[in-house]
Amino acid sequence: MNRAASLWIGALAPAVLLGCGGGEGSSTGSLGAGGGVSVGGAPSSGGTSSTGGGSGGTTNAGGLSATGGALDTGGAKSTGGSLALGGKPSSGGTSSTGGSKSNGGTTSAGGLPSGGGASDTGGAKSTGGSSPLGGTSSNGGAASTGGSKANGGATSTGGSKSNGGTTSTGGAASSGGSSVGGTTTNSSGPPMGWASWNSFAGTITYNIIKAQADAFVSSGLKAAGYQFVNIDEGWWQGTRDSSGNITTIAADWPGGMQAIADYIHGLGLKAGIYTDAGKDGCGYYYPTGRPAAPGSGSEGHYDQDFLQFSKWGFDFVKVDWCGGNSEGLDSKTAYTAISNSIQKATAQTGRPMVFSVCNWGNQSPWNWAPSISTMWRTSGDIIYYGGTADMNRVLPNFDSALHPTAQSLGHYNDPDMLIVGMKGFSLAQNRTHMALWAISGAPLLAGNNLESMSADTKSVLTNSDVLAIDQDPLAKQGTKVADTSGLQVYSRVLSGTNRRAVLLLNRTTSAATITARFADIGLGATATVRDVWAGTDLGSKTTSYAVSVPTYDSVLLIVTGA
Ligand code: GLA
């Protein structure tokens, strides 16, 4: 059975399903002030830490009536819907329907793994779609300190060392996006890079990652500001030596994992790795391209494994939830322990690691993950291995990631890796997908095969205006300011004076005119408008800007008030 038939999506109880209405949940917790800003390079020490993430989020604990088979642990009723593809183990659910495997749930059929009935959010209305769009960009890094090579700016790449971070940066859209200051002091923009999962699943080897890293540079992603090459599940078959140290297959990873981290660093990039919070990782429950891998999780070895990753040279670690979910672990407790282990590792090696929480939105990570991590997944997988890119997965993931009060510089809601440039998407759909991630200030981890990337895909991934929106140093999420039966307007406050990124999104089945009213986005009567994807300045407008948007398509604007 391929992954498409057996995979799951993460949490997200109700409301993530397509076509399901659903209010927009939002978490209302108060957030501590974000850390300082450090643009650029690798080890960044200093940065003030951001704590907080108060309470909130419309909680749907237990996921009463999750339709569509999202995940639902403990949920009273989770029925498989159009999205329920098989399902990982759903633990606890009383009647989740639909899937192939369920642990714990009384009659779980179908549902993706769920843990804890996530909470909330999104929902809104689904769509499908495509689009065209265009923008400005800015440069920042006004005062990036410390780094030997910290370059600000929308497409800046980090330097090798950027310290301090409390006051660096500056510009309107300084990016660089990946310099971190440790798990609680990451003070830079949403991480930008590439991750192996969407295109290669468990089949990865040194040679595959090396080829992608080479293409990362030769294709221009590095020059555009992308930095991370992230090795996802599949690198480890769960084996350890007698001291409990992770061992890997020498034929696949000659020189061990340090060799590939070294290679990636040699290209001036940063390296990411992956594990699971539980005993057995996703490669055990849902092997893809390799045999089932028992033991492929870090439970019982948190200090040892994260120190090992740091010693190998990894700058980023994603921690999945297959084992944690299956064992019924408490997300906040497990991920907090992991965050502590990462900090201990960093204290020992001096190498900070971006910490990416991947529990699919279970147990409302937007309420607790901001204080312990750089990014946290808010929903299930955007694509299953071998599957086709689908707006009906992109839009719900976007909706589920809207927790504006949880987000601050260095701490991001994560709607999942990008599927820009993967089979199934037109140029217009790739643009809408990218625009949605940019308007929400999401991490940008490309998932397409970089060796065969088309010029169109490259143009979408590297558009400097879009990247500047995504990396805007205010790190605010866009919010929905108007919605007329699926004709939606999202506005994101940008740094600078009276600047907004505005997305006009048509979630209806026919083309329609969508109007961005300046009053709705907090501007006065006069503003200039730029169409980002067209790369065209449209001049000064009065009161509003209206444009026809094709069905399931969007237009991305930068609007600057007088
Ligand atoms: C889960 C995660 C994905 C990917 C796979 C690997 O599904 O959500 O992003 O890491 O596991 O098995």
Side-chain angles (χ1 to χ4, degrees):
M1 184 187 302
N2 68 24
R3 187 100 176 177
S6 66
L7 252 197
W8 69 103
I9 58 177
L12 265 230
V16 285
L17 298 190
L18 311 191
C20 288
E24 279 220 289
S26 65
S27 83
T28 55
S30 62
L31 261 193
V37 182
S38 138
V39 184
S44 155
S45 53
T48 54
S49 72
S50 154
T51 46
S55 56
T58 53
T59 302
N60 178 1
L64 301 180
S65 75
T67 26
L71 299 194
D72 178 8
T73 316
K77 202 154 90 158
S78 159
T79 25
S82 56
L83 280 189
L85 301 181
K88 272 197 169 186
S90 152
S91 47
T94 21
S95 68
S96 117
T97 32
S100 53
K101 209 159 160 204
S102 121
N103 301 332
T106 342
T107 52
S108 161
L112 315 182
S114 79
S119 78
D120 134 14
T121 105
K125 257 173 190 181
S126 74
T127 74
S130 51
S131 123
L133 322 183
T136 77
S137 72
S138 51
N139 301 317
S144 153
T145 48
S148 59
K149 210 165 73 138
N151 306 319
T155 57
S156 87
T157 44
S160 56
K161 207 153 150 208
S162 153
N163 300 319
T166 43
T167 56
S168 72
T169 110
S174 103
S175 81
S178 48
S179 152
V180 293
T183 52
T184 60
T185 58
N186 181 349
S187 53
S188 54
M192 293 171 61
W194 173 87
S196 60
W197 178 253
N198 287 350
S199 286
F200 296 97
T203 66
I204 47 175
T205 59
Y206 177 95
N207 287 335
I208 287 175
I209 300 298
K210 175 183 179 299
Q212 292 297 310
D214 289 341
F216 190 117
V217 177
S218 63
S219 68
L221 283 195
K222 180 186 177 196
Y226 289 81
Q227 286 193 306
F228 290 96
V229 175
N230 289 350
I231 297 170
D232 206 281
E233 192 245 299
W235 65 273
W236 178 34
Q237 285 297 285
T239 52
R240 295 180 185 271
D241 67 17
S242 57
S243 305
N245 298 310
I246 288 173
T247 55
T248 49
I249 298 171
D252 289 342
W253 303 99
M257 301 313 288
Q258 183 168 347
I260 191 67
D262 285 349
Y263 186 81
I264 292 166
H265 288 154
L267 296 174
L269 300 172
K270 293 181 180 178
I273 198 157
Y274 164 101
T275 186
D276 195 280
K279 273 197 269 302
D280 305 309
C282 297
Y284 169 68
Y285 294 101
Y286 299 94
T288 305
R290 286 180 184 271
S296 54
S298 289
E299 190 180 358
H301 297 270
Y302 288 165
D303 282 352
Q304 183 175 18
D305 287 0
F306 292 97
L307 179 59
Q308 179 69 85
F309 298 154
S310 188
K311 284 183 169 169
W312 281 338
F314 288 96
D315 312 286
F316 182 115
V317 62
K318 168 177 166 182
V319 183
D320 218 327
W321 192 237
C322 286
N325 181 65
S326 203
E327 295 165 37
L329 300 184
D330 177 70
S331 297
K332 180 179 176 184
T333 305
Y335 284 106
T336 300
I338 289 166
S339 177
N340 291 338
S341 293
I342 292 171
Q343 289 185 56
K344 277 190 258 177
T346 295
Q348 210 170 312
T349 63
R351 177 180 294 284
M353 272 192 282
V354 170
F355 177 25
S356 166
V357 169
C358 180
N359 76 333
W360 322 305
N362 286 357
Q363 297 166 348
S364 311
W366 43 90
N367 288 334
W368 45 265
S371 61
I372 61 163
S373 70
T374 301
M375 52 196 271
W376 52 91
R377 280 275 296 275
T378 50
S379 56
D381 291 7
I382 197 165
I383 193 170
Y384 299 141
Y385 182 56
T388 300
D390 186 349
M391 232 1 125
N392 288 329
R393 303 196 76 82
V394 167
L395 287 163
N397 274 28
F398 166 73
D399 293 332
S400 302
L402 293 180
H403 301 282
T405 59
Q407 194 153 304
S408 65
L409 195 62
H411 307 280
Y412 304 98
N413 294 290
D414 175 15
D416 202 357
M417 301 167 286
L418 295 164
I419 50 173
V420 168
M422 294 185 65
K423 78 172 182 245
F425 265 4
S426 64
L427 173 60
Q429 289 169 317
N430 285 326
R431 286 175 166 178
T432 287
H433 174 19
M434 190 76 178
L436 289 164
W437 265 231
I439 202 94
S440 63
L444 299 177
L445 295 172
N448 56 311
N449 183 338
L450 301 181
E451 283 190 289
S452 53
M453 178 159 60
S454 70
D456 274 354
T457 295
K458 181 187 162 185
S459 75
V460 173
L461 289 174
T462 63
N463 181 295
S464 60
D465 290 337
V466 174
L467 296 182
I469 292 171
D470 181 74
Q471 298 285 311
D472 186 273
L474 292 183
K476 289 189 179 299
Q477 280 201 310
T479 55
K480 191 166 65 176
V481 297
D483 188 346
T484 310
S485 305
L487 302 176
Q488 302 182 333
V489 180
Y490 293 83
S491 174
R492 176 176 175 181
V493 176
L494 300 177
S495 56
T497 306
N498 294 332
R499 296 176 67 242
R500 307 282 185 269
V502 175
L503 184 70
L504 310 178
L505 179 65
N506 182 354
R507 295 190 179 207
T508 75
T509 51
S510 43
T513 295
I514 302 182
T515 302
R517 287 181 297 267
F518 299 159
D520 289 347
I521 59 176
L523 298 180
T526 309
T528 59
V529 176
R530 177 174 173 82
D531 183 318
V532 169
W533 293 114
T536 309
D537 290 320
L538 303 172
S540 182
K541 308 288 173 190
T542 306
T543 316
S544 65
Y545 174 71
V547 64
S548 177
V549 183
T551 174
Y552 295 116
D553 207 332
S554 67
V555 171
L556 181 62
L557 307 169
I558 293 177
V559 181
T560 307

